[in-house]
């Protein structure tokens, strides 16, 4: 299981050498594929060879491409890497509705709790109101408290008159952070034999990542907290250091039932608990609790 | 933490040379960086990683020669003093950070 994120923001040639990724710039550096969890390609002049792509699939590395606006717009995932992928796909499609609804309620409740934690950590008002939203979540979130909470929470955090749809730095930063999380989750789902298009709650025909969009919810406030604590340094577009900081959020510690761990490891555990949901009907998902923005200390 | 491997291997006969080449290739393939001639080091993330790579190392040893290994914490490794010479490009570009920027 990899633990490193590699972000490439200058012209480079990537190739495979032995079992390492060789990054050719003025000089060449090597990173063992085994250690890598994520590679972000964030420059127009990056060239890479087929063996690099194939190694990414072999080692289950999430490889992100970014679009003209420098937002991650694609992720390269291994093709049916897991041995029980067809079995899990069937289980995913046949999940009993009450079970899916309970799991969705768990996800929404933890998301709102984490949003509450963001407001508290930023010293904003409205903590009590969000708390009561979290308490009122019932199976399937039929009252759509998720939406109500979000409509209340974003203006509290970023000021009245804030709209998610508006084109501005804050929204670009949020979108970037969410896209990175979503790719990391999609990678975890595929690695554990699940199909990202078949969701618990999200069911859009046009979305290839419905399940990732379910599981991402409790992780989103991590990005919100970072963006709220580190407002724009430049007008308009994200600067390269802004993007690097957003990718580095994968290394921030969150609370899990097993203890404190990096968001990247937490995704792994959350995905495993999701697999148990489908396989054994265990509705207790393991979801992250927001602690702050402390980066995970390597055990070394 | 870092696993550091030091070796002296006999290089007289063809078989001995072959054993050396195979061992060195193993080190490079397993993600070790050459920090000096015959001194290789690998970055490890935690005890599980340490066990895994140490086992692989033990399984790939050549039959003869002298090979030692030592595990040091990242702080101790970073405390290495350069009396003559400079850190390599690879050492500067690929430190213990979880996030690598290129």
């Amino acid at each position: 299981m990899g633990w490193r994120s590699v972000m490439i923001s200058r012209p480079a040639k990537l190739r495979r050498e032995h079992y390492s990724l060789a990054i050719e710039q003025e000089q060449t550096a090597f990173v063992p594929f085994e250690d890598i969890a994520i590679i972000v390609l964030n420059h127009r002049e990056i060239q890479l060879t087929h063996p690099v792509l194939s190694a990414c699939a072999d080692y289950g590395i999430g490889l992100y491409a970014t679009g003209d606006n420098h937002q991650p717009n694609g992720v390269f995932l291994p093709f049916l890497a897991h041995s029980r992928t067809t079995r899990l796909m069937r289980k995913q499609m046949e999940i009993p509705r009450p079970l899916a609804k309970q799991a969705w309620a768990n996800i929404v409740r933890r998301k709102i709790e984490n949003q509450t934690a963001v407001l508290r950590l930023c010293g904003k008002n409205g903590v009590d109101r969000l708390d009561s939203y979290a308490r009122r979540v019932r199976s399937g979130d039929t009252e759509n408290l998720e939406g109500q909470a979000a409509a209340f929470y974003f203006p509290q955090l970023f000021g009245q008159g804030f709209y998610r749809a508006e084109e501005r730095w804050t929204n670009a930063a949020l979108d970037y952070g969410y896209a990175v999380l979503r790719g990391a989750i999609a990678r975890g789902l595929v690695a554990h034999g699940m199909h990202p298009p078949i969701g618990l709650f999200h069911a859009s025909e046009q979305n290839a990542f419905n399940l990732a969009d379910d599981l991402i919810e409790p992780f989103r406030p991590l990005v919100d907290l970072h963006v709220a604590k580190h407002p724009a340094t430049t007008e308009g577009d994200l600067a390269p250091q802004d993007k690097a900081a957003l990718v580095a959020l994968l290394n921030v510690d969150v609370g899990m039932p097993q203890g404190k761990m990096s968001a990247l490891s937490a995704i792994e555990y959350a995905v495993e608990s999701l697999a148990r949901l489908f396989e054994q009907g265990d509705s207790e998902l393991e979801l992250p609790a927001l602690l702050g923005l402390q980066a995970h200390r390597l055990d070394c | 933490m870092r696993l550091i491997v030091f070796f002296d291997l006999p290089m007289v006969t063809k078989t001995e040379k072959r054993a050396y080449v195979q061992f060195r290739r193993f080190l490079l393939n397993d993600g070790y960086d050459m920090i000096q001639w015959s001194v290789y080091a690998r970055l490890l993330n935690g005890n599980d990683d340490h066990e895994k790579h140490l086992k692989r190392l033990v399984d790939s040893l050549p039959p003869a020669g002298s090979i030692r290994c030592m595990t040091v914490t990242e702080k101790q490794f970073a405390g290495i003093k350069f009396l003559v010479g400079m850190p390599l490009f690879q050492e500067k570009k690929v430190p213990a950070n979880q996030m690598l920027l290129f």
Side-chain angles (χ1 to χ4, degrees), chain A residues 32-76:
Chain A
F33 279 117
E34 212 182 342
D35 295 352
I36 304 177
I38 275 165
I39 303 174
V40 184
L41 306 176
N42 188 25
H43 199 278
R44 283 165 172 274
E45 290 163 55
I46 298 171
Q47 298 177 26
L48 55 118
T49 62
H50 166 240
V52 169
L53 281 180
S54 144
C56 286
D58 277 348
Y59 289 87
I61 297 168
L63 180 78
Y64 293 72
T66 46
D68 284 342
N69 57 358
H70 298 281
Q71 296 277 357
N73 63 354
V75 57
F76 178 72

Side-chain angles (χ1 to χ4, degrees), chain A residues 108-135 149 152-154 156-157 217-229 252-255 287-294:
Chain A
V108 171
R109 197 173 300 122
R110 182 52 61 87
K111 178 190 185 183
I112 301 178
E113 284 167 9
N114 284 345
Q115 289 175 332
T116 314
V118 172
L119 290 189
R120 193 178 298 121
L121 288 164
C122 293
K124 305 276 183 188
N125 300 325
V127 172
D128 295 338
R129 183 154 161 195
L130 272 189
D131 257 341
S132 90
Y133 281 136
R135 276 196 307 275
F152 170 71
Y153 158 82
F154 278 111
Q156 282 293 330
L157 188 60
E217 298 299 351
F219 288 94
R220 285 185 201 268
L222 187 62
V223 179
D224 306 341
L225 178 61
H226 172 84
V227 174
K229 290 263 189 187
V252 166
D253 268 335
V254 294
L287 298 171
L290 196 69
L291 300 175
L293 288 172
Q294 183 68 46

Side-chain angles (χ1 to χ4, degrees), chain A residues 3-10 18-19 23 25 27-32 34-35 244 247-248 251 296 298-300, chain B residues 1 25 29-31 42-47 49 52-53 56 74 89-90 93-102:
Chain A
W3 50 276
R4 282 194 135 140
S5 318
V6 179
M7 186 162 178
I8 300 169
S9 315
R10 289 193 299 128
H18 296 299
Y19 294 83
I23 303 156
Q25 287 172 330
Q27 293 184 63
T28 306
F30 298 89
V31 187
E34 212 182 342
D35 295 352
V247 176
N251 302 326
H296 186 69
L298 273 184
D299 189 12
C300 58
Chain B
M1 59 180 103
R25 167 124 341 133
N29 287 351
D30 201 36
R42 196 196 198 286
L43 185 69
L44 304 171
N45 179 23
N47 282 326
D49 230 20
K52 175 172 83 180
H53 288 286
R56 281 188 203 165
E74 205 46 38
F89 175 74
Q90 169 82 10
K93 265 316 221 188
V94 188
N97 301 351
Q98 292 176 45
M99 178 82 193
L100 299 179
L101 290 173
F102 286 92

Side-chain angles (χ1 to χ4, degrees), chain B residues 65-79:
Chain B
S66 163
I67 299 179
R68 297 148 198 246
C69 81
M70 177 167 73
T71 311
V72 296
T73 66
E74 205 46 38
K75 195 176 173 192
Q76 289 164 334
F77 187 81

Side-chain angles (χ1 to χ4, degrees), chain A residues 134-280:
Chain A
R135 276 196 307 275
R136 278 163 40 208
V137 177
R138 296 286 172 266
S139 180
D141 189 25
T142 42
E143 288 174 75
N144 189 25
L145 287 164
E146 186 206 4
Q148 292 187 44
F152 170 71
Y153 158 82
F154 278 111
Q156 282 293 330
L157 188 60
F158 296 115
Q160 296 301 327
F162 175 83
Y163 298 106
R164 275 290 284 127
E166 202 183 349
E167 259 191 45
R168 51 187 280 185
W169 187 93
T170 309
N171 279 321
L174 292 176
D175 291 341
Y176 196 92
Y178 295 159
V180 170
L181 278 178
R182 193 183 193 220
I185 291 170
R187 160 186 173 273
L189 292 172
V190 173
H192 286 81
M194 280 171 276
H195 280 250
I198 310 170
L200 286 172
F201 171 78
H202 289 90
S204 167
E205 281 179 12
Q206 292 161 5
N207 183 358
F209 291 104
N210 279 316
L211 191 57
D213 287 344
D214 289 330
L215 202 58
I216 196 178
E217 298 299 351
F219 288 94
R220 285 185 201 268
L222 187 62
V223 179
D224 306 341
L225 178 61
H226 172 84
V227 174
K229 290 263 189 187
H230 302 86
T233 47
T234 52
E235 245 344 273
D237 287 343
L238 298 179
Q241 66 268 26
D242 298 331
K243 294 176 200 155
L246 287 161
V247 176
L249 286 177
L250 291 172
N251 302 326
V252 166
D253 268 335
V254 294
M256 288 289 281
Q258 295 82 359
K260 210 158 68 163
M261 61 177 77
S262 70
L264 199 57
S265 309
I267 287 174
E268 204 74 10
Y269 279 95
V271 165
E272 275 171 32
S273 74
L274 196 58
R276 281 199 297 280
L277 172 83
F278 291 122
E279 285 277 9
Q280 300 158 17

Side-chain angles (χ1 to χ4, degrees), chain B:
Chain B
M1 59 180 103
R2 300 265 178 160
L3 182 59
I4 311 180
V5 178
F6 312 80
F7 60 81
D8 278 327
L9 293 177
M11 293 268 272
V12 184
T13 68
K14 218 172 171 181
T15 1
E16 284 170 353
K17 276 185 197 157
R18 194 177 143 75
Y20 157 78
V21 169
Q22 280 182 344
F23 182 62
R24 183 174 173 279
R25 167 124 341 133
F26 158 76
L27 291 176
L28 293 177
N29 287 351
D30 201 36
Y32 289 76
D33 295 323
M34 187 180 88
I35 49 177
Q36 304 207 323
W37 296 117
S38 305
V39 182
Y40 287 66
R42 196 196 198 286
L43 185 69
L44 304 171
N45 179 23
N47 282 326
D48 289 353
D49 230 20
H50 179 235
E51 268 171 45
K52 175 172 83 180
H53 288 286
L54 191 62
K55 184 171 183 307
R56 281 188 203 165
L57 179 66
V58 170
D59 289 345
S60 316
L61 295 175
S66 163
I67 299 179
R68 297 148 198 246
C69 81
M70 177 167 73
T71 311
V72 296
T73 66
E74 205 46 38
K75 195 176 173 192
Q76 289 164 334
F77 187 81
I80 286 182
K81 288 191 180 65
F82 284 82
L83 301 180
V84 178
M86 296 285 282
L88 304 172
F89 175 74
Q90 169 82 10
E91 284 173 277
K92 282 187 275 188
K93 265 316 221 188
V94 188
N97 301 351
Q98 292 176 45
M99 178 82 193
L100 299 179
L101 290 173
F102 286 92

